[in-house]
Amino acid sequence: MANFTVPNDKLKMHECPLAVIKCVDFRFRKTDQEFVERGLGFDDFDLYSWPGAAKDVLKNNGFKTDFVDKIVSVSIGLHKVKKLLLLWHWDCGGYGGSKAFPSADEEESIYLRDMRTVKEMLVRELPDDLEIIMAYSKSAPQGLEYKVVE
Ligand SMILES: [Zn+2]
């Protein structure tokens, strides 16, 4: 393959306002990016992607330690990030998918419960001036519906 060059006007930038952790699931990659850019209004963000988004923080193990360390040293330390978005999605393979739940309502309530628990765990570890926000996407007749979670 010949060299492949892509224009990039961000290379001289050093700071961005947001870090995102989301699931690796390819089905959500483009729409997640569109939600963060057009839905939330952030053109620039550090992206962390892992199966189940930040679900593995619940294990309270090395994943949590490493994730917190990178948020502090890279996203806050280098890029001066002010917010962290936890982004979960419906039908997540990290949970066994929708089929692992008795109903759609139950599925959503488990995701939201886990996301809130992860937020509580991260709040204890991360600097006070980092705001942690949460969002969730689920299927809707026209595609995916994203909502910010309180
Ligand atoms: Zn997933």
Side-chain angles (χ1 to χ4, degrees):
M1 190 186 123
N3 290 348
F4 188 79
T5 304
V6 179
N8 186 323
D9 61 0
K10 307 280 187 190
L11 298 178
K12 296 247 176 7
M13 293 174 60
H14 301 287
E15 298 184 6
C16 70
L18 176 75
V20 176
I21 184 159
K22 62 182 288 300
C23 187
V24 295
D25 193 329
F26 71 95
R27 298 175 295 164
F28 300 86
R29 184 171 57 82
K30 286 183 179 168
T31 50
D32 284 356
Q33 176 144 348
E34 195 167 333
F35 166 67
V36 174
E37 289 179 358
R38 291 204 299 123
L40 297 179
F42 293 99
D43 278 342
D44 302 307
F45 53 92
D46 283 348
L47 179 60
Y48 297 82
S49 193
W50 193 254
K55 173 179 186 270
D56 282 356
V57 166
L58 296 169
K59 295 176 181 169
N60 202 18
N61 63 8
F63 176 84
K64 185 189 77 176
T65 307
D66 287 346
F67 179 57
V68 166
D69 176 64
K70 297 308 177 200
I71 290 291
V72 170
S73 63
V74 178
S75 292
I76 298 174
L78 287 177
H79 300 156
K80 313 302 179 198
V81 156
K82 300 286 188 283
K83 293 184 188 208
L84 170 64
L85 169 65
L86 311 177
L87 180 55
W88 257 240
H89 71 90
W90 153 91
D91 193 30
C92 187
Y95 287 80
S98 295
K99 65 183 184 310
F101 299 93
S103 71
D105 284 350
E106 190 135 348
E107 179 181 6
E108 183 168 338
S109 74
I110 296 293
Y111 294 147
L112 298 186
R113 180 201 68 191
D114 281 4
M115 196 160 40
R116 290 186 178 106
T117 305
V118 166
K119 178 182 174 180
E120 285 168 21
M121 292 173 75
L122 292 174
V123 161
R124 281 183 236 129
E125 308 271 338
L126 288 164
D128 290 342
D129 55 355
L130 182 76
E131 183 186 357
I132 302 178
I133 57 180
M134 302 179 286
Y136 173 71
S137 71
K138 64 181 178 184
S139 77
Q142 273 90 34
L144 278 175
E145 178 183 276
Y146 286 80
K147 68 175 179 187
V148 173
V149 174
E150 298 304 320

